[in-house]
Each structure stands twice: as structure tokens, then as C-alpha cells.
Amino acid sequence: MDDQRLRVGQVFVAGGAPTITYNPRSELNLEEQILDYLDEGYRILSVSGSTKTGKTVLVRRIVPPSEGMWLSGGAINSAEQFWDSIAEHLGLYTSIERTSDSKDEVWRTTTGQANIGIAKGGIENKEIVGSTSGEKVSRARNVITQAREALRGGLTPLVIDDFHYIPQAVQLEIVRALKDLVFDGLRVIVIAVPHRAYDVVRVEREMTGRVQQVSVGFWSREELAGIARKGFEALNLEDKDEALIGRLSDESFASPHLMQDFCLQLCKANGYRQAQDERRQLVAPDWSSFFADRASMASKAAFDLLARGPRQRTDRKERQLKSGAVTDIYGAVLAAIAHTGPNTELTYEEIRAALKEVLSSDSPQRHEVTRILEEMTKIATNEIEGEPVVDYDVELGKLYISDPYFAFFLRWGVPDLA
């Protein structure tokens, strides 16, 4: 008989939509806010949250792909791509073809000989002679007009995930084109990282007052612990004093994605890959190697690209760190960021102060640091797949570590950096 017991991968789901360990964070009324928006409409709903904090899982819980039009911002580089995606989703025809035919027929009778058995005789054959003519007319339909007609007044929500991936000029075109459709009742949900949550308003000032915000926010220690408790209970595993749960929560950078992964790996480190018949006590692994192993798989490639800098750069001035390591300005800035904890949101002043603490030589000038931060953002956006691991907002003068996995790597993956 097949073993039907739950597998740990079914319980702790890192990177997908968990069921057993799903936490609605009821005290924040997140699901209720989305449901209220769907009831009321006449605005754009912006759901914001840091990478891997569960914002997409939350929206999919309320608006599954089978009940909404889901578009990925990472696949939209132009307004034409946006409307083409909607037309494809709705199965719209982009051309009309009309054909007309006419046929003149004349029957003609001919006589011939036929041999049937031993008898011989004549046989009449009838055939059609004449002419045919036809006309085919086709007309292309404007995709944007057709898609807008299909969306107007519709009750199927339009969800644009990773809205911040779309170039701002394209965002503006999209928002302006959707404005009157929203006024007519179309529900539009955009999902973005927190510092891009107001992109809808930033690109189109007329949307001020017409955008509703739902902030997923960072997860609390208790919320993260809830993931572990539910999962361990389902697997018949136990952490009596919750010391293991506490440690995992502390290292998760407020990310349920990381917490799911940690819990999954802790079960495997204890030799458990499925639910147990009897209650089993979990034991602590060697934490240093446990986290170092997780970090080595997380963001090394992204770190190496950022530390290398632009491909065409020639400035390789050596920078001495107090740790004894020798690097350049890119490595020094990464060392300074890591030195902060790393914090996932940093001002220039905080980075400057951290540089003074990690460098044994003079700190670089302000324009040098901001230039490096801007270059790192370009690399993170153009050369690294997925969510940009760092994002420097020039307008706000802040650096964001958008990916908790990258923050975790800075803490555990490069111990000699700072």
C-alpha cells in the first residue's frame, strides 16, 4: 500500500502557495480589505509588500487565476504588450474576414459506351460546367479598442503582479488608459514592492485619491512562528520550548518565504521527510553550518555581479577593510551594507557611517557612493533574474534591499566581507 502520509514539502512550501501553513494574518484584516475593494471598486487597489512577504499568495487566495486576469509586470515592456496580453487572455479576435461566393452551373448530358458483364449498351453521363467567382474581405481590429470594450464594466478583476517591473513611461500609458474603465467599474489590482506602491500616483497625478492602498508589511516574529507551529503539528513534530522556532524566526528577515524554507530544511536535518506516526522532538542543528548552507544557495551569483560592477569599468582602486580584506569601492559599499545587519532600508547617511566603520582608509566621496548605488541598481535590474536584490531610489535618497534572501546572504554567506 502506498504511504499516504504528508510530505514535508507539502506542508512547508517555499516559493509557492501554502495551504496547511498559510497564515491570513487576521489581525491585519488583509483578506477583508481586498474583499471590500472587490465589493466597492471604482479605484485601483495597490497591494504592496517586500519581496517574499506573501503579497502575491494573499491576492491569489482571494482572486485565483481561474477567477481573474493575471498579468506579470516582468513580461510587459510596452503598452502594446499589455493590451496584447489582455486580448490573448480574453481570446479576442484581432481581425474580421468576410467571404462571398457565386456559382453559375450548366448541366450537360453525354452518351458513351459501357461494358457491364456480357451486355453492351449506351449510358448517359451528366456533368456540371460553368464558372465560379468569389470575394474575400478582411479587416484588422484595433487590439486596444477591442480589449477596452471587453473590459468595460466587467466584473472579472485585472491583476498586474510586479507592477514595479514595468517601465514608468509604460506605467503612465497603462494607467491613463485604465482610468475611465476603473470609473466604469473595472477592478484593477496592482502588486508592488513598498517603495513602489505609489507608482500609480507618481506616474499619473490625476489618480490621487483614486488609489486604495493595502500594505502587507513585514511579518512579526509571532506570525512567522505560527508557520512553524502549524507545520510541525501537521507532521507530528515538536519543539517544546520553541527555541528552534525562535531562532528561525529571528533569521528570516521578516519573510514567510525564508521561514517556510528554514522549517523545511530543519525537518530534513532531523531526518524527517514525512509526517510521523508518533510525536517526535526536533533538535537543533549546528546553526552556523545550517545557515551558511542556506546562504550559499541563496544569492551568491547576485552578490558576485554587484561586487564586480559594470563590465566596462576600469577603476579598480584598492580599498583596505578593517577585517584585513582588500577590495574595491563596490566591495566596500557591500561591506558597509552588510555591516548594518544588514538593514533592509538604508539612507545615504547610514551607508556613509557604515563605510567609516568598515574601512581602514578614508571613505569615498558622496558622489562616488551614490554613483555606485545607482550602478548596482542597474545591474540588479538588468543582469539579475527576478526581483532586483537592491534598489536605490534617487528621488527618496534611500537604498532598499528588496530581496530577503540577499540580505540573508550578506549576513551568512560572506563572513569575511566586513
Side-chain angles (χ1 to χ4, degrees), residues 83 97 126 204 206 223 248 254 267 379 404:
W83 293 110
E97 186 174 285
K126 289 187 176 182
E204 179 54 275
E206 288 187 23
E223 288 170 336
L248 297 182
C267 291
I379 294 169

Side-chain angles (χ1 to χ4, degrees), residues 354-384:
L355 276 166
K356 291 180 179 179
E357 293 181 13
V358 301
L359 283 170
S360 60
S361 56
D362 292 338
S363 298
Q365 298 297 313
R366 182 187 184 100
H367 72 276
E368 293 180 282
V369 176
T370 55
R371 177 178 62 83
I372 298 306
L373 296 176
E374 290 180 37
E375 289 291 346
M376 285 185 175
T377 299
K378 291 179 184 177
I379 294 169
T381 302
N382 301 324
E383 299 185 36
I384 300 173

Side-chain angles (χ1 to χ4, degrees), residues 40-41 55 105-106 110 145 165-166 219 271-272 284 289 295 304 311 338 354 380-382 407 417:
E40 300 164 8
K55 55 188 183 295
E105 298 177 351
V106 177
T110 60
T145 301
Y165 278 179
I166 303 175
W219 286 52
Y272 304 126
S289 60
D304 290 343
R311 295 179 184 276
T381 302
N382 301 324
L417 185 65

